Coordinates of all heavy atoms in Angstrom, one line a residue:
M1 N -163.9 75.7 6.4 CA -163.1 74.5 6.2 C -163.2 74.0 4.8 O -164.3 74.0 4.2 CB -163.7 73.5 7.2 CG -162.8 72.2 7.3 SD -163.7 70.9 8.1 CE -164.7 70.2 6.8
E2 N -162.1 73.5 4.3 CA -162.1 73.0 2.9 C -161.7 71.5 3.0 O -160.7 71.1 3.6 CB -161.0 73.8 2.2 CG -161.1 73.6 0.7 CD -159.8 74.1 0.0 OE1 -159.3 75.2 0.5 OE2 -159.4 73.6 -1.0
L3 N -162.5 70.7 2.3 CA -162.1 69.3 2.2 C -161.2 69.0 1.0 O -161.4 69.6 0.0 CB -163.4 68.4 2.1 CG -164.2 68.1 3.3 CD1 -165.4 67.3 3.0 CD2 -163.3 67.4 4.4
K4 N -160.2 68.2 1.3 CA -159.3 67.9 0.2 C -159.0 66.4 0.2 O -158.9 65.8 1.2 CB -158.0 68.7 0.6 CG -157.0 68.8 -0.6 CD -155.9 69.8 -0.1 CE -154.7 69.9 -1.2 NZ -155.0 69.4 -2.5
N5 N -158.8 65.9 -1.0 CA -158.5 64.5 -1.2 C -156.9 64.4 -1.0 O -156.2 64.8 -2.0 CB -158.9 64.0 -2.5 CG -158.6 62.5 -2.6 OD1 -158.1 61.9 -1.8 ND2 -159.0 61.9 -3.8
Y6 N -156.5 63.9 0.1 CA -155.1 63.9 0.4 C -154.4 63.0 -0.6 O -153.2 63.1 -0.9 CB -154.8 63.4 1.8 CG -153.4 63.3 2.2 CD1 -152.6 64.5 2.3 CD2 -152.8 62.1 2.4 CE1 -151.3 64.4 2.6 CE2 -151.5 62.0 2.7 CZ -150.7 63.1 2.9 OH -149.4 63.1 3.2
M7 N -155.1 62.0 -1.1 CA -154.5 61.1 -2.1 C -154.0 61.8 -3.4 O -153.1 61.4 -3.9 CB -155.6 60.0 -2.5 CG -155.0 58.8 -3.1 SD -153.7 58.0 -2.3 CE -154.5 56.9 -1.2
E8 N -154.8 62.9 -3.7 CA -154.4 63.7 -4.8 C -153.0 64.3 -4.6 O -152.2 64.4 -5.5 CB -155.5 64.7 -5.1 CG -155.4 65.4 -6.4 CD -156.5 66.5 -6.5 OE1 -157.7 66.2 -6.1 OE2 -156.2 67.6 -7.0
T9 N -152.8 64.8 -3.4 CA -151.6 65.4 -3.0 C -150.4 64.4 -3.2 O -149.3 64.7 -3.7 CB -151.6 65.9 -1.6 OG1 -152.8 66.8 -1.5 CG2 -150.4 66.7 -1.2
I10 N -150.7 63.2 -2.7 CA -149.7 62.1 -2.7 C -149.3 61.8 -4.2 O -148.2 61.7 -4.6 CB -150.1 60.9 -2.0 CG1 -150.3 61.2 -0.5 CG2 -149.1 59.7 -2.1 CD1 -150.8 60.0 0.3
V11 N -150.4 61.6 -5.0 CA -150.2 61.3 -6.5 C -149.4 62.4 -7.1 O -148.4 62.1 -7.9 CB -151.5 61.0 -7.2 CG1 -151.4 60.9 -8.7 CG2 -152.2 59.7 -6.6
L12 N -149.8 63.7 -6.9 CA -149.0 64.8 -7.5 C -147.6 64.8 -7.0 O -146.7 65.1 -7.8 CB -149.8 66.1 -7.2 CG -151.1 66.3 -7.9 CD1 -151.8 67.5 -7.4 CD2 -150.8 66.5 -9.5
N13 N -147.3 64.5 -5.8 CA -146.0 64.5 -5.3 C -145.1 63.4 -6.0 O -143.9 63.7 -6.2 CB -146.0 64.1 -3.8 CG -146.2 65.3 -2.9 OD1 -146.2 66.4 -3.4 ND2 -146.5 65.0 -1.7
Y14 N -145.7 62.3 -6.3 CA -144.9 61.2 -6.9 C -144.9 61.2 -8.4 O -144.2 60.5 -9.1 CB -145.4 59.9 -6.4 CG -145.0 59.5 -5.1 CD1 -145.7 59.6 -3.9 CD2 -143.6 59.1 -4.9 CE1 -145.3 59.4 -2.7 CE2 -143.2 58.9 -3.6 CZ -144.0 59.0 -2.5 OH -143.5 58.7 -1.3
L15 N -145.8 62.0 -9.0 CA -146.0 62.0 -10.5 C -144.6 62.2 -11.2 O -144.3 61.4 -12.1 CB -147.0 63.0 -11.0 CG -147.3 63.1 -12.5 CD1 -147.8 61.8 -13.0 CD2 -148.2 64.3 -12.8
D16 N -143.9 63.3 -10.9 CA -142.7 63.6 -11.6 C -141.6 62.5 -11.3 O -140.8 62.2 -12.2 CB -142.2 65.0 -11.2 CG -143.0 66.1 -11.8 OD1 -143.3 66.0 -13.0 OD2 -143.4 67.0 -11.0
V17 N -141.6 62.0 -10.1 CA -140.6 61.0 -9.8 C -140.8 59.7 -10.7 O -139.8 59.2 -11.2 CB -140.7 60.6 -8.3 CG1 -139.7 59.5 -7.9 CG2 -140.5 61.8 -7.4
V18 N -142.0 59.3 -10.8 CA -142.3 58.1 -11.6 C -142.2 58.4 -13.1 O -141.7 57.6 -13.8 CB -143.8 57.6 -11.3 CG1 -144.0 56.3 -12.0 CG2 -144.0 57.4 -9.8
L19 N -142.6 59.6 -13.5 CA -142.4 60.0 -14.9 C -141.0 60.0 -15.4 O -140.7 59.7 -16.5 CB -143.0 61.4 -15.1 CG -144.5 61.5 -15.6 CD1 -144.9 63.0 -15.6 CD2 -144.8 60.8 -16.8
E20 N -140.1 60.2 -14.5 CA -138.7 60.2 -14.8 C -138.2 58.9 -15.4 O -137.3 58.7 -16.1 CB -137.8 60.6 -13.7 CG -137.6 62.1 -13.5 CD -136.8 62.5 -12.3 OE1 -136.0 61.6 -11.9 OE2 -136.9 63.6 -11.8
K21 N -138.9 57.8 -14.9 CA -138.5 56.4 -15.3 C -139.1 56.1 -16.7 O -138.9 55.1 -17.2 CB -139.1 55.4 -14.3 CG -138.4 55.5 -13.0 CD -139.0 54.6 -11.9 CE -138.4 54.9 -10.5 NZ -139.3 54.4 -9.5
Y22 N -140.0 57.1 -17.2 CA -140.6 56.8 -18.5 C -140.3 58.0 -19.4 O -141.1 58.8 -19.7 CB -142.1 56.7 -18.4 CG -142.5 55.4 -17.6 CD1 -142.6 55.5 -16.2 CD2 -142.9 54.3 -18.3 CE1 -142.9 54.4 -15.5 CE2 -143.3 53.1 -17.5 CZ -143.3 53.2 -16.2 OH -143.6 52.1 -15.4
P23 N -139.0 58.0 -19.9 CA -138.6 59.2 -20.7 C -139.4 59.4 -22.0 O -139.5 60.5 -22.6 CB -137.1 58.9 -21.0 CG -136.9 57.5 -20.7 CD -138.0 57.1 -19.7
N24 N -140.0 58.3 -22.5 CA -140.8 58.3 -23.7 C -142.2 58.8 -23.5 O -143.0 59.1 -24.5 CB -140.8 57.0 -24.4 CG -139.4 56.6 -24.9 OD1 -138.6 57.5 -25.3 ND2 -139.1 55.4 -24.9
C25 N -142.7 58.9 -22.3 CA -144.0 59.3 -22.0 C -144.2 60.8 -22.2 O -143.4 61.6 -21.7 CB -144.4 58.9 -20.6 SG -146.1 59.4 -20.2
C26 N -145.3 61.1 -22.9 CA -145.6 62.6 -23.1 C -145.9 63.2 -21.7 O -146.5 62.6 -20.9 CB -146.7 62.7 -24.1 SG -147.3 64.4 -24.2
K27 N -145.3 64.4 -21.6 CA -145.6 65.1 -20.3 C -146.3 66.4 -20.5 O -146.2 67.3 -19.7 CB -144.2 65.4 -19.6 CG -143.5 64.1 -19.2 CD -142.0 64.3 -18.9 CE -141.3 63.0 -18.6 NZ -141.1 62.2 -19.7
C28 N -147.2 66.4 -21.5 CA -148.0 67.6 -21.7 C -149.1 67.7 -20.6 O -149.4 66.7 -19.9 CB -148.6 67.7 -23.1 SG -150.0 66.6 -23.3
E29 N -149.8 68.8 -20.5 CA -150.8 69.0 -19.4 C -151.9 68.0 -19.5 O -152.3 67.5 -18.5 CB -151.3 70.4 -19.6 CG -151.7 71.1 -18.2 CD -150.7 70.9 -17.1 OE1 -149.5 71.1 -17.2 OE2 -151.2 70.5 -16.0
Q30 N -152.4 67.7 -20.7 CA -153.5 66.8 -20.9 C -153.0 65.3 -20.4 O -153.8 64.7 -19.7 CB -153.8 66.7 -22.4 CG -154.9 65.7 -22.7 CD -156.3 66.1 -22.3 OE1 -156.8 67.1 -22.8 NE2 -156.9 65.3 -21.4
C31 N -151.9 64.9 -20.8 CA -151.4 63.6 -20.4 C -151.2 63.5 -18.9 O -151.5 62.5 -18.3 CB -150.2 63.2 -21.2 SG -150.5 62.9 -23.0
R32 N -150.6 64.5 -18.3 CA -150.3 64.5 -16.9 C -151.7 64.4 -16.1 O -151.8 63.7 -15.2 CB -149.6 65.8 -16.5 CG -148.2 65.9 -17.0 CD -147.6 67.2 -16.7 NE -147.4 67.5 -15.3 CZ -146.2 67.2 -14.6 NH1 -145.2 66.8 -15.3 NH2 -146.2 67.5 -13.3
Q33 N -152.6 65.2 -16.6 CA -154.0 65.2 -16.0 C -154.6 63.8 -16.1 O -155.2 63.3 -15.1 CB -154.9 66.2 -16.7 CG -155.3 67.3 -15.8 CD -156.1 68.3 -16.5 OE1 -157.1 68.0 -17.2 NE2 -155.7 69.6 -16.5
D34 N -154.5 63.1 -17.3 CA -155.0 61.8 -17.5 C -154.4 60.8 -16.6 O -155.0 59.9 -16.0 CB -154.9 61.4 -18.9 CG -155.9 62.1 -19.8 OD1 -156.8 62.8 -19.3 OD2 -155.7 62.0 -21.1
I35 N -153.1 60.9 -16.4 CA -152.3 60.0 -15.5 C -152.8 60.1 -14.1 O -153.1 59.1 -13.4 CB -150.8 60.3 -15.6 CG1 -150.3 59.9 -17.0 CG2 -150.0 59.5 -14.5 CD1 -148.9 60.5 -17.4
V36 N -152.9 61.4 -13.6 CA -153.4 61.6 -12.3 C -154.8 61.1 -12.0 O -155.1 60.4 -11.1 CB -153.3 63.1 -11.9 CG1 -154.0 63.4 -10.6 CG2 -151.9 63.6 -11.9
M37 N -155.7 61.3 -13.0 CA -157.1 60.9 -13.0 C -157.2 59.4 -12.9 O -157.9 58.8 -12.1 CB -157.8 61.5 -14.1 CG -159.3 61.2 -14.1 SD -160.0 61.6 -15.7 CE -159.3 60.3 -16.7
L38 N -156.4 58.7 -13.8 CA -156.4 57.2 -13.9 C -155.9 56.6 -12.6 O -156.6 55.7 -12.0 CB -155.6 56.7 -15.0 CG -156.3 56.7 -16.4 CD1 -155.2 56.4 -17.5 CD2 -157.3 55.6 -16.4
A39 N -154.8 57.2 -12.0 CA -154.3 56.7 -10.8 C -155.3 56.9 -9.7 O -155.5 55.9 -8.9 CB -152.9 57.3 -10.5
L40 N -155.9 58.1 -9.6 CA -156.8 58.4 -8.5 C -158.0 57.4 -8.6 O -158.6 57.1 -7.5 CB -157.2 59.8 -8.5 CG -156.2 60.8 -7.9 CD1 -156.7 62.2 -8.1 CD2 -155.9 60.6 -6.5
N41 N -158.4 57.1 -9.8 CA -159.6 56.2 -9.9 C -159.4 54.8 -9.3 O -160.3 54.1 -9.0 CB -160.0 56.0 -11.4 CG -160.8 57.3 -11.9 OD1 -161.3 58.0 -11.1 ND2 -160.9 57.4 -13.2
H42 N -158.1 54.4 -9.2 CA -157.8 53.1 -8.7 C -157.3 53.1 -7.2 O -156.9 52.1 -6.7 CB -156.7 52.5 -9.5 CG -157.1 52.1 -10.9 ND1 -156.7 52.8 -12.1 CD2 -158.0 51.2 -11.3 CE1 -157.3 52.3 -13.1 NE2 -158.1 51.3 -12.7
L43 N -157.3 54.3 -6.6 CA -156.9 54.5 -5.3 C -158.0 54.9 -4.4 O -158.9 55.7 -4.8 CB -155.7 55.5 -5.2 CG -154.4 55.0 -5.9 CD1 -153.5 56.2 -6.2 CD2 -153.7 54.0 -5.0
P44 N -158.0 54.5 -3.1 CA -159.1 54.9 -2.2 C -158.8 56.4 -1.8 O -157.7 56.8 -1.5 CB -158.9 54.0 -1.0 CG -157.5 53.6 -1.1 CD -157.1 53.6 -2.5
P45 N -159.9 57.2 -1.9 CA -159.7 58.7 -1.6 C -159.5 58.8 0.0 O -160.0 58.0 0.7 CB -161.0 59.3 -2.0 CG -162.0 58.2 -2.0 CD -161.3 56.9 -2.3
K46 N -158.8 59.8 0.3 CA -158.5 60.1 1.7 C -158.8 61.6 2.0 O -158.0 62.4 1.6 CB -157.0 59.9 2.0 CG -156.6 58.5 2.2 CD -156.5 58.1 3.7 CE -156.3 56.6 3.9 NZ -157.4 56.1 4.7
Y47 N -160.0 61.8 2.5 CA -160.4 63.2 2.7 C -159.9 63.8 4.0 O -160.1 63.1 5.1 CB -161.9 63.4 2.6 CG -162.3 63.2 1.1 CD1 -163.0 62.0 0.7 CD2 -162.1 64.1 0.2 CE1 -163.3 61.8 -0.6 CE2 -162.4 64.0 -1.2 CZ -163.0 62.8 -1.5 OH -163.4 62.6 -2.8
V48 N -159.3 64.9 4.0 CA -158.8 65.6 5.2 C -159.3 67.1 5.1 O -159.5 67.6 4.0 CB -157.3 65.6 5.3 CG1 -156.8 64.1 5.6 CG2 -156.6 66.1 4.1
S49 N -159.4 67.7 6.2 CA -159.7 69.2 6.1 C -158.4 69.9 6.1 O -157.5 69.6 6.9 CB -160.5 69.6 7.3 OG -159.8 69.5 8.5
S50 N -158.3 70.8 5.1 CA -157.0 71.4 4.8 C -156.5 72.4 5.8 O -155.4 72.9 5.8 CB -157.0 72.0 3.4 OG -157.9 73.0 3.3
D51 N -157.5 72.8 6.7 CA -157.1 73.8 7.7 C -156.3 73.2 8.9 O -155.9 73.9 9.8 CB -158.3 74.6 8.2 CG -159.4 73.8 8.8 OD1 -159.3 72.6 8.7 OD2 -160.3 74.3 9.4
K52 N -156.2 71.9 8.9 CA -155.4 71.2 10.0 C -154.1 70.7 9.3 O -154.0 69.6 8.9 CB -156.2 70.0 10.6 CG -157.4 70.5 11.4 CD -158.2 69.3 11.9 CE -159.5 69.7 12.6 NZ -160.5 68.6 12.6
G53 N -153.2 71.6 9.3 CA -151.9 71.2 8.6 C -151.2 70.0 9.2 O -150.6 69.2 8.4
N54 N -151.4 69.7 10.5 CA -150.7 68.6 11.0 C -151.3 67.2 10.6 O -150.6 66.2 10.7 CB -150.7 68.7 12.6 CG -152.0 68.8 13.2 OD1 -153.0 69.1 12.5 ND2 -152.2 68.6 14.5
V55 N -152.5 67.3 10.1 CA -153.1 66.0 9.6 C -152.3 65.4 8.5 O -152.1 64.3 8.4 CB -154.6 66.3 9.2 CG1 -155.1 65.0 8.5 CG2 -155.5 66.6 10.4
F56 N -151.8 66.4 7.6 CA -151.0 65.9 6.5 C -149.8 65.2 6.9 O -149.5 64.1 6.3 CB -150.6 67.2 5.7 CG -151.8 67.8 4.9 CD1 -152.8 68.5 5.5 CD2 -152.0 67.5 3.5 CE1 -153.8 69.1 4.8 CE2 -153.0 68.0 2.8 CZ -154.0 68.8 3.5
T57 N -149.1 65.7 7.9 CA -147.9 65.1 8.3 C -148.1 63.7 8.9 O -147.5 62.8 8.6 CB -147.2 66.0 9.4 OG1 -147.4 67.3 9.1 CG2 -145.7 65.7 9.5
K58 N -149.2 63.6 9.7 CA -149.5 62.3 10.3 C -149.8 61.3 9.3 O -149.3 60.2 9.3 CB -150.7 62.5 11.3 CG -150.3 62.9 12.7 CD -151.5 62.8 13.6 CE -151.3 63.7 14.8 NZ -152.6 64.2 15.3
L59 N -150.6 61.7 8.3 CA -151.1 60.8 7.3 C -149.9 60.3 6.5 O -149.7 59.1 6.2 CB -152.1 61.4 6.3 CG -153.6 61.3 6.7 CD1 -154.4 62.0 5.7 CD2 -154.0 59.8 6.8
S60 N -149.0 61.2 6.1 CA -147.9 60.8 5.2 C -147.0 59.8 5.9 O -146.3 59.0 5.3 CB -147.1 62.1 4.8 OG -146.5 62.7 5.9
L61 N -146.9 59.8 7.3 CA -146.1 58.9 8.0 C -146.8 57.5 8.1 O -146.1 56.5 8.0 CB -145.7 59.4 9.4 CG -144.8 60.6 9.4 CD1 -144.7 61.2 10.8 CD2 -143.4 60.2 8.9
T62 N -148.1 57.5 8.3 CA -148.8 56.3 8.6 C -149.2 55.6 7.3 O -149.6 54.4 7.3 CB -150.0 56.5 9.5 OG1 -150.8 57.5 8.9 CG2 -149.6 56.9 10.8
E63 N -149.1 56.3 6.2 CA -149.7 55.8 4.9 C -148.5 55.3 4.0 O -148.7 55.2 2.8 CB -150.5 56.8 4.2 CG -151.7 57.3 5.0 CD -152.8 56.3 4.9 OE1 -153.2 55.9 3.8 OE2 -153.4 56.0 5.9
L64 N -147.4 55.1 4.6 CA -146.2 54.7 3.7 C -146.5 53.5 2.9 O -146.1 53.4 1.7 CB -145.0 54.4 4.6 CG -144.1 55.6 5.0 CD1 -143.0 55.3 5.9 CD2 -143.6 56.3 3.7
E65 N -147.2 52.5 3.4 CA -147.5 51.3 2.6 C -148.3 51.7 1.4 O -148.1 51.1 0.3 CB -148.3 50.3 3.5 CG -147.6 49.1 3.8 CD -148.3 48.2 4.8 OE1 -149.3 47.6 4.4 OE2 -148.0 48.3 6.0
K66 N -149.3 52.6 1.6 CA -150.1 53.0 0.5 C -149.3 53.7 -0.6 O -149.7 53.7 -1.7 CB -151.3 53.8 1.0 CG -152.3 53.1 1.8 CD -153.7 53.4 1.3 CE -154.7 52.5 2.0 NZ -154.9 53.0 3.4
E67 N -148.3 54.4 -0.2 CA -147.5 55.2 -1.1 C -146.8 54.2 -2.1 O -146.7 54.6 -3.3 CB -146.4 56.0 -0.4 CG -147.1 57.1 0.4 CD -146.2 58.1 1.0 OE1 -145.0 58.0 0.7 OE2 -146.7 59.0 1.7
V68 N -146.5 53.0 -1.7 CA -146.0 52.0 -2.7 C -147.1 51.7 -3.7 O -146.8 51.6 -4.9 CB -145.6 50.7 -2.0 CG1 -145.1 49.6 -2.9 CG2 -144.5 51.0 -1.0
Q69 N -148.3 51.6 -3.2 CA -149.5 51.3 -4.1 C -149.7 52.5 -5.1 O -150.0 52.3 -6.2 CB -150.7 51.1 -3.3 CG -151.9 50.4 -4.0 CD -153.1 50.6 -3.2 OE1 -153.2 50.9 -2.0 NE2 -154.3 50.4 -3.9
V70 N -149.5 53.7 -4.6 CA -149.7 54.9 -5.3 C -148.7 54.9 -6.5 O -149.0 55.1 -7.6 CB -149.4 56.2 -4.5 CG1 -149.3 57.4 -5.3 CG2 -150.5 56.3 -3.4
I71 N -147.4 54.6 -6.2 CA -146.4 54.6 -7.3 C -146.7 53.5 -8.3 O -146.6 53.8 -9.5 CB -145.0 54.3 -6.6 CG1 -144.6 55.5 -5.8 CG2 -144.0 54.0 -7.7 CD1 -143.4 55.2 -4.8
E72 N -147.3 52.4 -7.9 CA -147.6 51.3 -8.8 C -148.8 51.8 -9.7 O -148.8 51.5 -10.9 CB -148.1 50.1 -8.1 CG -147.0 49.1 -7.7 CD -147.5 47.9 -6.9 OE1 -148.7 47.7 -6.9 OE2 -146.7 47.3 -6.2
E73 N -149.8 52.5 -9.1 CA -150.9 53.0 -9.9 C -150.5 54.0 -10.9 O -151.0 54.1 -12.0 CB -152.0 53.4 -9.0 CG -152.7 52.3 -8.2 CD -153.4 51.3 -9.1 OE1 -153.7 51.5 -10.3 OE2 -153.7 50.2 -8.6
I74 N -149.6 54.9 -10.5 CA -149.1 55.9 -11.4 C -148.4 55.3 -12.6 O -148.6 55.7 -13.7 CB -148.1 56.9 -10.7 CG1 -148.9 57.7 -9.6 CG2 -147.5 57.9 -11.7 CD1 -148.0 58.6 -8.7
A75 N -147.5 54.3 -12.3 CA -146.8 53.6 -13.3 C -147.8 52.9 -14.3 O -147.6 53.0 -15.6 CB -145.9 52.5 -12.7
K76 N -148.8 52.3 -13.8 CA -149.8 51.7 -14.7 C -150.6 52.7 -15.5 O -150.8 52.5 -16.7 CB -150.9 51.0 -13.8 CG -150.5 49.6 -13.4 CD -151.7 48.8 -12.8 CE -151.3 48.1 -11.5 NZ -152.5 47.8 -10.7
A77 N -150.9 53.8 -14.9 CA -151.6 54.9 -15.6 C -150.7 55.5 -16.7 O -151.2 55.8 -17.8 CB -152.0 56.0 -14.6
I78 N -149.4 55.6 -16.4 CA -148.5 56.1 -17.4 C -148.5 55.2 -18.7 O -148.5 55.6 -19.8 CB -147.0 56.3 -16.8 CG1 -147.0 57.4 -15.9 CG2 -146.0 56.5 -18.0 CD1 -145.7 57.6 -15.1
E79 N -148.5 53.9 -18.4 CA -148.5 52.9 -19.5 C -149.8 53.0 -20.3 O -149.7 53.0 -21.6 CB -148.3 51.5 -19.0 CG -146.8 51.2 -18.7 CD -146.6 50.0 -17.8 OE1 -147.4 49.1 -17.8 OE2 -145.5 50.0 -17.1
V80 N -150.9 53.2 -19.6 CA -152.2 53.3 -20.3 C -152.2 54.6 -21.2 O -152.5 54.5 -22.4 CB -153.4 53.4 -19.3 CG1 -154.7 53.7 -20.0 CG2 -153.5 52.0 -18.6
V81 N -151.8 55.7 -20.6 CA -151.8 57.0 -21.3 C -150.8 57.0 -22.5 O -151.0 57.5 -23.6 CB -151.5 58.2 -20.3 CG1 -151.3 59.5 -21.1 CG2 -152.6 58.3 -19.4
S82 N -149.7 56.3 -22.3 CA -148.6 56.2 -23.4 C -149.2 55.5 -24.5 O -148.8 55.8 -25.7 CB -147.4 55.5 -22.8 OG -146.8 56.3 -21.8
R83 N -150.0 54.5 -24.3 CA -150.5 53.6 -25.4 C -151.6 54.4 -26.2 O -151.6 54.3 -27.4 CB -151.2 52.4 -24.8 CG -150.2 51.2 -24.6 CD -150.9 49.9 -24.5 NE -151.8 49.8 -23.4 CZ -151.4 49.4 -22.2 NH1 -150.2 49.0 -22.0 NH2 -152.3 49.4 -21.2
S84 N -152.4 55.2 -25.5 CA -153.4 56.0 -26.3 C -153.6 57.4 -25.7 O -154.5 57.7 -25.0 CB -154.7 55.3 -26.3 OG -155.1 54.9 -24.9
P85 N -152.6 58.3 -25.9 CA -152.7 59.6 -25.5 C -153.9 60.4 -26.1 O -154.1 60.1 -27.2 CB -151.3 60.3 -25.9 CG -150.8 59.4 -26.9 CD -151.4 58.0 -26.7
R86 N -154.5 61.3 -25.3 CA -155.7 62.0 -25.8 C -155.4 63.4 -26.3 O -156.3 64.1 -26.7 CB -156.7 62.1 -24.7 CG -157.3 60.8 -24.3 CD -158.6 61.0 -23.5 NE -158.4 61.8 -22.2 CZ -159.3 62.5 -21.7 NH1 -160.5 62.6 -22.3 NH2 -159.1 63.2 -20.6
H87 N -154.1 63.8 -26.2 CA -153.7 65.1 -26.7 C -153.8 65.3 -28.2 O -153.8 64.3 -28.9 CB -152.3 65.5 -26.2 CG -151.3 64.6 -26.7 ND1 -150.4 64.0 -25.8 CD2 -151.0 64.1 -27.9 CE1 -149.6 63.2 -26.5 NE2 -149.9 63.2 -27.8
Ligands
LIG1 ZN1 -149.5 64.6 -24.2

């Protein structure tokens, strides 16, 4: 059994969608990683065992409210990284 932070999956799913709204933000590997890290630091982790595929589907349906929060945190992280990129 492998534990996985489902929140990471959600953040990665939304990263590109949110990045599209920030054409000036650098999209190199370092900056993308920093954005994901910053956003995850502000979001509650959701651990699931990855061998139960159906858990993912259930969570994504019941966590819709949190997804709004995820998008907000990604947007904030993009602004922070844009101000002082580490690359
Ligand atoms: Zn960069």
Side-chain angles (χ1 to χ4, degrees):
M1 191 191 82
E2 191 193 327
L3 280 179
K4 195 173 177 10
N5 183 0
Y6 181 67
M7 195 52 89
E8 194 181 319
T9 307
I10 299 179
V11 169
L12 287 171
N13 275 349
Y14 282 104
L15 180 63
D16 287 313
V17 179
V18 185
L19 268 175
E20 270 178 28
K21 294 176 191 160
Y22 295 83
N24 295 327
C25 178
C26 173
K27 294 167 184 73
C28 79
E29 210 44 48
Q30 175 76 62
C31 290
R32 291 171 68 95
Q33 245 178 52
D34 285 349
I35 293 163
V36 171
M37 186 191 68
L38 275 170
L40 283 175
N41 281 344
H42 292 110
L43 291 161
K46 281 259 170 242
Y47 289 105
V48 293
S49 67
S50 61
D51 59 350
K52 290 177 189 159
N54 55 346
V55 172
F56 286 77
T57 325
K58 269 188 206 152
L59 272 178
S60 63
L61 290 174
T62 54
E63 301 280 310
L64 272 179
E65 247 172 79
K66 290 232 175 69
E67 291 186 6
V68 175
Q69 196 195 344
V70 169
I71 292 166
E72 271 175 22
E73 290 299 342
I74 295 173
K76 277 190 225 164
I78 288 172
E79 277 162 28
V80 172
V81 171
S82 297
R83 274 199 298 272
S84 52
R86 293 198 300 152
H87 57 233

